[in-house]
C-alpha cells in the first residue's frame, strides 16, 4: 500500500463506528419472533422439481457466481487506486455523522481494492496491520447488522460479503469467524420470502454468501477444513429448527452446498502438473458436528416443504459419501471383509433412497459412539413440546438409534444429563415411552456410566432423579450391577473429602440409603451383603474427625439429611437398613443396646468398637460373620486398600482373634507377613501381633524375620522386632546361639538412633545377649560397644543412661576387665574414660570415629562428654599419632559454634590446652593430671 499505508499506521488507531455490533449468537434470531417473517420461499432457483428428488437425482448444482462489481477507479494506476481506496476507508472510519448508501458502498469497494492490490504487490503484512487498526471486519459487521430484515433494496449485503471474501486473502484478519457468520446469516436468512424480493438481487446476494463460505472454508481457511466447517455448521444448525420456514430453507440450502464441497474436496485428486494422485489426510476433515448435522437434516425431511426435503436429502447423500471415504481411509490393508462391505455401501450411495429410516440406519452403521450420541441428543431436543421438529419422527429416530448401540461412559453421561434436563418439557406419550425404555437399556449396557451419571445429576438424590433411578433399576439384573458401582465409589475415598471424588462418595452413600429403603431391591442387595457391610463399617470408623460429643449428637438426634453431619448419618442409617435387609435384626438390636454405634463413630474408641462388634457378630450371626471374614481376607490378601487398610486390618484382626483356632492358618500368615512392611504403623503393629499369636509357643521360628526387620529403616518396625526378640530370648534361648553375632551387630547399630525407645531397648537386649551361652563369640562386638555405652551413660534420659550402664557392666564382665566393671558399677564417668584410654592401642582410631559422631548429638551433656573425651584422647596421642591429633583439633574447630554456651567454652579451652601441649615433653602422669583438670573444669 506504499507510503500512505505507512503514514496511516502511525496515526491513532481508528475506532469502530458508534453503531452496536449484532448479537453474537444466532439463537437471538431464533428467540425473537418479531424479527422473523411469517413465511418465505426457497431461494434455490435451479433446484430440481420434487419429482426429480423422488427419483433420487441431486438438485442441480448452481453456475458460477456473477462477476464482482467493477472498481470505482478502473483507469487509475495501481498505486493511485490503492491510495484512493485507503483514503476512502479512513474517511469513512473517522466520519461520525450517519453514512449514506453511496459512502457505505464506496467503503466496501475500497476494501476489495486494497486487498487485491496488496496481493499483487506482496504487501499483505502491511495490510494486516491496516485492517486491525481500522477494525475493518467489525465495521462490515456493523453495516450488515444495520440492514433492515424486512427488505432487500440495495447491493450492500452482496458487497459486504464480497469484501469479507477479499479480506480472507489477508492472513490473520478473519480469526474470530463465528460472530461474522452469525451476522451474515441473520442478515440474509431473516429476509422475507423470495416472492417479496427483487429476484435477481436476491439470487446474487445468495451466490455472494456461498462464495464467501467456499473461500473462507476451503480456499483460505485459517484452521483445518473440518474446524472451519464445524464453526459454520454450529451457526447454521439453529436456523434449521426455526419456525420461520424461509430461514429454515435457506439454512438447509447452505448445508447442502457445503456438504457437496466437502465430498468433493475429500476425494483423491490428481496434481495439475504431474497427474499423480495425492493422498488426503482425513484429520484435516475431522467434523465433530457430523452427528448433529445428520440428525438435523433427517428431521428437516419431515417438514412439509418439498424444496427443503430435496436439499436435505441431497446434503445427506454428500455427507454419506464423505463418511464412506472416511471409513475407507481408516481401513487396514488386510481387512478384506470390510473392504467388500465398503464397496457395497458405496454402491448403495449411488442409488439413493428417500426413506429416512433407511438413511438413518446406514449412517448409524458407520458412526462412532459419540456421533450416535449427538444424534440421540438432537432427537431429545426434537421431542420437546416447544420444538419445531416433528416429535413423532424425533422419538422414532431415538428408538432406532438405540438398537445395537454400544455406549461409552461419556455417551451415557451425556444422554442421562440431557434426559434429566428435558424430561419435564416432553409430554408426548410415545416420546415418554421411548425415554422410559431407554434407562434400563442404558443401565444394562453400561451400569458404571449410568450410576455415575445419575449421581452427578443430583448428588442429594432428589425426587426427580430418584424417578430416573427407579427406571434404571426396573430390570432385576441391573440392580446388583449398579449397587456394585455404588460399592466401588464408597471404596474410593472416605467421607468428608472436599473433592469431586469425596462428593461422589457422599452421593453414593445417599443413593444406597434410598435404595435400601425400598424392600423390592432386597434380594438383589443381599447378594453383595459382605462387601457392603465391610465398606460401610470402614466408612464409619474412618470418620476420625468426630469428637465424642458430636458422635453422641448423631446418635441422639433424629436422622436429618440436611444436618452438617448428614453424610456420616447417611452411612450409619444405610448400615442399619442393610442389617435389616440381611435378616440380621438381632445384630442391629445389640448395636443399639450396647451403644456400639457411638463407639464406632468415636475417634478414640473405634478400635474398641470393632472388637465389641466382632464378638457380637460371632455370637449372634455365625454364618454371616464367616462370609464377612472371608471377604476381608480376600481384600487384604489380593488388593491394595490404601486409605481402607488400617480399618480393614483392624476388623480382620478382631474377628480373627475372637474365633476359635483353625487348623490351617497359612492364609492369615500370608496376610500378616504382607502388612509387616506396610507404610502405616497401625497395620504393622496389628500384623506383628497377629504373627505373635500365630506362632505362640514357637516364636523361635520367627528369628529370620526378626533379623530382617532389625535392618528396616523404620524405627517402629525395629521396635516390634525387638519386642519379638525379647520374647524369644525369654522362652527359647537355645535358638539364639546360631544368630548371636548377627543380633549383636544389629543391636549395636541401634545405639545411636534418634528414637529414644530404640536406643533404650537395643541396649537392654544387648546386655541380655551377653549372658547367653556362646557369648564368647561376641568379644569383637563387645569391644566396639564400650565407648558408645560410656557416652550414653551421660544422657539426660534416665532409662537410656541406666540401660547403657548395665550393658557396659556386662561388657566389662565378658572382657574380664575388672577395673572397668567396678568403675561402671559405681558410675565413675571420668575414671571410666581414663580406663578406656589406658587400652587405647588399636582402638584409638575406632574411638576417634565413634566419638566424632556424638559431637552432633541433640543433647548438650552428650556433646560435652564427647568434647572432654576428645581432649583426653588428643593428650594421649600427641607423641604417638600427630595426624590423629590434627583430626581431633579439626573436629573441635567445627564444634566452636555449638548452641550451648558451656559446650562452646569447653571446646575453646580444650583447643587451647592441646595447642599448648604440642611442645611440652611427654610425662607419664600427664594423662591423669589432665583428667583431674577436666574434672575441675566440669565442677566449675
Amino acid at each position: 500500500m506504499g507510503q500512505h499505508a505507512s503514514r496511516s499506521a502511525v496515526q491513532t488507531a481508528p475506532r469502530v463506528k458508534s453503531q452496536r455490533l449484532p448479537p453474537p449468537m444466532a439463537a437471538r434470531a431464533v428467540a425473537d419472533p418479531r424479527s422473523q417473517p411469517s413465511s418465505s420461499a426457497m431461494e434455490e432457483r435451479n433446484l430440481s422439481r420434487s419429482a426429480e428428488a423422488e427419483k433420487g437425482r441431486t438438485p442441480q448444482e448452481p453456475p458460477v457466481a456473477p462477476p464482482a462489481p467493477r472498481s470505482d477507479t478502473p483507469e487509475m494506476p495501481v498505486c493511485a487506486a490503492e491510495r484512493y481506496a485507503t483514503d476512502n476507508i479512513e474517511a469513512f472510519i473517522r466520519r461520525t455523522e450517519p453514512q449514506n448508501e453511496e459512502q457505505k458502498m464506496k467503503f466496501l469497494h475500497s476494501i476489495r481494492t486494497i486487498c487485491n492490490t496488496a496481493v499483487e504487490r506482496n504487501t499483505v503484512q502491511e495490510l494486516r496491520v491496516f485492517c486491525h487498526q481500522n477494525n475493518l471486519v467489525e465495521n462490515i459487521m456493523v453495516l450488515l447488522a444495520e440492514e433492515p430484515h424486512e427488505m432487500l433494496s440495495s447491493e450492500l449485503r452482496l458487497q459486504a460479503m464480497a469484501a469479507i471474501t477479499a479480506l480472507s486473502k489477508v492472513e490473520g484478519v478473519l480469526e474470530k469467524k463465528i460472530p461474522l457468520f452469525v451476522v451474515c446469516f441473520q442478515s440474509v436468512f431473516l429476509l422475507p420470502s423470495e416472492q417479496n424480493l427483487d429476484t435477481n438481487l436476491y439470487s446474487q446476494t445468495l451466490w455472494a454468501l456461498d462464495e464467501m463460505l467456499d473461500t473462507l472454508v476451503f480456499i483460505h481457511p485459517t484452521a483445518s477444513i473440518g474446524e472451519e466447517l464445524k464453526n459454520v455448521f454450529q451457526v447454521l444448525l439453529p436456523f434449521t429448527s426455526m419456525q420461520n420456514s424461509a430461514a429454515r430453507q435457506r439454512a438447509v440450502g447452505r448445508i447442502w452446498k457445503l456438504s457437496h464441497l466437502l465430498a468433493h474436496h475429500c476425494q483423491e485428486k490428481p496434481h495439475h502438473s504431474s497427474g499423480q494422485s495425492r493422498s488426503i489426510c482425513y484429520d484435516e476433515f475431522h467434523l465433530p458436528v457430523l452427528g448433529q448435522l445428520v440428525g438435523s437434516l433427517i428431521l428437516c425431511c419431515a417438514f412439509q416443504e418439498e424444496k427443503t426435503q430435496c436439499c436435505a436429502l441431497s446434503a445427506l447423500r454428500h455427507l454419506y459419501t464423505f463418511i464412506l471415504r472416511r471409513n475407507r481411509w481408516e481401513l487396514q490393508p488386510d481387512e478384506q471383509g470390510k473392504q467388500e462391505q465398503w464397496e457395497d455401501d458405496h454402491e448403495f450411495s449411488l442409488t439413493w433412497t428417500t426413506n429416512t429410516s433407511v438413511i438413518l440406519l446406514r449412517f448409524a452403521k458407520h458412526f462412532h459412539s459419540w456421533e450416535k450420541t449427538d444424534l440421540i441428543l438432537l432427537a431429545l431436543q426434537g421431542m420437546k413440546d416447544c420444538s419445531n421438529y416433528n416429535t413423532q419422527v424425533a422419538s422414532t429416530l431415538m428408538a432406532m438409534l438405540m438398537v445395537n448401540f454400544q455406549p461409552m461412559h461419556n455417551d451415557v453421561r451425556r444422554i442421562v444429563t440431557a434426559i434429566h434436563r428435558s424430561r419435564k418439557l416432553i409430554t408426548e406419550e410415545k416420546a415418554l415411552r421411548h425415554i422410559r425404555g431407554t434407562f434400563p437399556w442404558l443401565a444394562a449396557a453400561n451400569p458404571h456410566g449410568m450410576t455415575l451419571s445419575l449421581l452427578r445429576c443430583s448428588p442429594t438424590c432428589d425426587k426427580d432423579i430418584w424417578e430416573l433411578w427407579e427406571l434404571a433399576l426396573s430390570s432385576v439384573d441391573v440392580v446388583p450391577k449398579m449397587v456394585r458401582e455404588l460399592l466401588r465409589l464408597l471404596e474410593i475415598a472416605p467421607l468428608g473429602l472436599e473433592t469431586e471424588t469425596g462428593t461422589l462418595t457422599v452421593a453414593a452413600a445417599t443413593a444406597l440409603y434410598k435404595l435400601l429403603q425400598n424392600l423390592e431391591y432386597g434380594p438383589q442387595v443381599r447378594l453383595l451383603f459382605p462387601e457392603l457391610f465391610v465398606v460401610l463399617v470402614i466408612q464409619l470408623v474412618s470418620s476420625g474427625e468426630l469428637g465424642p460429643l458430636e458422635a453422641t449428637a448423631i446418635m441422639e438426634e433424629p436422622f436429618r439429611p440436611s444436618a452438617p453431619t448428614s453424610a456420616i448419618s447417611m452411612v450409619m442409617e444405610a448400615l442399619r437398613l442393610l442389617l435389616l435387609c440381611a435378616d440380621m435384626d438381632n445384630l442391629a438390636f445389640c448395636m443399639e443396646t450396647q451403644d456400639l454405634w457411638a463407639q464406632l463413630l468415636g475417634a478414640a474408641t473405634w478400635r474398641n468398637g470393632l472388637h465389641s462388634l466382632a464378638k457380637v457378630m460371632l455370637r449372634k450371626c455365625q454364618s454371616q460373620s464367616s462370609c464377612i471374614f472371608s471377604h476381608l481376607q480376600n481384600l487384604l490378601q489380593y488388593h491394595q486398600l490404601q486409605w481402607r487398610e488400617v480399618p480393614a486390618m483392624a476388623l480382620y484382626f478382631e474377628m480373627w482373634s475372637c474365633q476359635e483356632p483353625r487348623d490351617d492358618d497359612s492364609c492369615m500368615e500370608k496376610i500378616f507377613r504382607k502388612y509387616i512392611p506396610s507404610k502405616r504403623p497401625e497395620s504393622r503393629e496389628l500384623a506383628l501381633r497377629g504373627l505373635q499369636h500365630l506362632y505362640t509357643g514357637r516364636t523361635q521360628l520367627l528369628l529370620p524375620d526378626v533379623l530382617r526387620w532389625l535392618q528396616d529403616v523404620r524405627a517402629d518396625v525395629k521396635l516390634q522386632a525387638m519386642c519379638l526378640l525379647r520374647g524369644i530370648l525369654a522362652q527359647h534361648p537355645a535358638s539364639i546361639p546360631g544368630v548371636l553375632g548377627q543380633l549383636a551387630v544389629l543391636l549395636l547399630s541401634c545405639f545411636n538412633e534418634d528414637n529414644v525407645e530404640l536406643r533404650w531397648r537395643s541396649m537392654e537386649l544387648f546386655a541380655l545377649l551377653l549372658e547367653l551361652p556362646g557369648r564368647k563369640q561376641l568379644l569383637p562386638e563387645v569391644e566396639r560397644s564400650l565407648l558408645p555405652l560410656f557416652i550414653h551413660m551421660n544422657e539426660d534420659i534416665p532409662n537410656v543412661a541406666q540401660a547403657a550402664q548395665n550393658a557396659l557392666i556386662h561388657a566389662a564382665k565378658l572382657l574380664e576387665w575388672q577395673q572397668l566393671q567396678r568403675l561402671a558399677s559405681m558410675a565413675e564417668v571420668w575414671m571410666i574414660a581414663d580406663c578406656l584410654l589406658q587400652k587405647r592401642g588399636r582402638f584409638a582410631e575406632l574411638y576417634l570415629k565413634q566419638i566424632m559422631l556424638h559431637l552432633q548429638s541433640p543433647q548438650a551433656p552428650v556433646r560435652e562428654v564427647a568434647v572432654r573425651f576428645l581432649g583426653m584422647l588428643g593428650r594421649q596421642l600427641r607423641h604417638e599419632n600427630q595426624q590423629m591429633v590434627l583430626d581431633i583439633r579439626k573436629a573441635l574447630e567445627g564444634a566452636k559454634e555449638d548452641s550451648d554456651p558451656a559446650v562452646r567454652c569447653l571446646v575453646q579451652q580444650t583447643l587451647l590446652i592441646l595447642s599448648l601441649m604440642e611442645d611440652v615433653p611427654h610425662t607419664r602422669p600427664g594423662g591423669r593430671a589432665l583428667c583431674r583438670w577436666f574434672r575441675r573444669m566440669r565442677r566449675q
Side-chain angles (χ1 to χ4, degrees), residues 574-620:
L575 182 55
R576 181 183 287 122
L577 290 172
L578 179 66
L579 293 176
L580 299 177
C581 175
D583 298 329
M584 298 174 68
D585 310 51
N586 51 356
L587 177 59
F589 177 75
C590 289
M591 293 182 72
E592 295 283 354
T593 56
Q594 297 184 22
D595 201 25
L596 291 185
W597 294 111
Q599 288 188 53
L600 294 174
L601 288 170
T605 60
W606 67 270
R607 291 282 292 272
N608 293 332
L610 287 180
H611 179 72
S612 302
L613 176 63
K615 290 198 299 185
V616 172
M617 286 170 57
L618 290 170
R619 188 172 68 250
K620 297 291 183 180

Side-chain angles (χ1 to χ4, degrees), residues 18 35 848:
S18 59
S35 65
L848 181 59

Side-chain angles (χ1 to χ4, degrees), residues 404-596:
N404 298 324
F405 181 33
Q406 298 296 326
M408 304 299 289
H409 163 63
N410 193 52
D411 301 322
V412 175
R413 180 187 62 80
R414 293 174 63 200
I415 294 171
V416 171
T417 303
I419 291 177
H420 176 58
R421 292 174 178 173
S422 60
R423 191 166 58 103
K424 299 298 182 182
L425 304 175
I426 301 173
T427 58
E428 206 278 327
E429 182 56 34
K430 181 180 179 182
L432 290 174
R433 188 166 60 253
H434 284 315
I435 290 176
R436 286 194 291 270
T438 296
F439 263 79
W441 183 87
L442 280 177
N446 196 321
H448 171 68
M450 174 60 76
T451 306
L452 278 179
S453 301
L454 291 173
L455 294 177
R456 287 195 171 105
C457 283
S458 176
T460 59
C461 203
D462 55 30
K463 181 180 179 182
D464 288 341
I465 204 67
W466 180 246
E467 292 178 4
L468 299 183
W469 273 97
E470 290 180 322
L471 288 175
L473 295 168
S474 58
S475 173
V476 175
D477 296 337
V478 170
V479 176
K481 296 178 182 178
M482 294 188 67
V483 172
R484 189 172 293 281
E485 290 301 322
L486 294 177
L487 170 66
R488 186 186 64 82
L489 290 171
L490 286 168
E491 291 174 343
I492 289 177
L495 299 174
L497 289 183
E498 296 181 358
T499 61
E500 182 186 9
T501 302
T503 303
L504 281 175
T505 302
V506 175
T510 307
L512 182 62
Y513 166 72
K514 289 264 190 179
L515 190 144
L516 287 168
Q517 286 181 310
N518 292 268
L519 298 178
E520 58 184 298
Y521 304 125
Q524 288 77 35
V525 173
R526 278 197 292 270
L527 298 175
L528 297 171
F529 167 74
E531 294 92 333
L532 289 172
F533 178 85
V534 168
V535 76
L536 290 174
V537 169
I538 288 175
Q539 284 286 1
L540 275 184
V541 302
S542 298
S543 56
E545 70 279 2
L546 291 181
L549 294 179
E550 192 174 7
T552 304
I554 293 175
M555 293 300 305
E556 292 178 353
E557 294 181 5
F559 175 64
R560 295 177 299 157
S562 60
T565 56
S566 60
I568 297 172
S569 299
M570 196 80 70
V571 171
M572 188 178 72
E573 292 296 323
L575 182 55
R576 181 183 287 122
L577 290 172
L578 179 66
L579 293 176
L580 299 177
C581 175
D583 298 329
M584 298 174 68
D585 310 51
N586 51 356
L587 177 59
F589 177 75
C590 289
M591 293 182 72
E592 295 283 354
T593 56
Q594 297 184 22
D595 201 25
L596 291 185

Side-chain angles (χ1 to χ4, degrees), residues 15-36:
R15 56 186 174 83
V16 181
K17 295 178 63 178
S18 59
Q19 291 88 343
R20 296 179 61 85
L21 291 177
M25 296 299 296
R28 298 207 180 173
V30 179
D32 189 359
R34 294 174 298 178
S35 65
Q36 303 170 8

Side-chain angles (χ1 to χ4, degrees), residues 921-939:
H922 176 60
T923 57
R924 194 167 174 77
R928 297 194 179 187
L930 186 60
C931 186
R932 288 194 295 274
W933 181 85
F934 274 130
R935 291 197 199 99
R936 189 166 58 252
M937 289 297 298
R938 189 182 186 194
R939 287 194 295 271

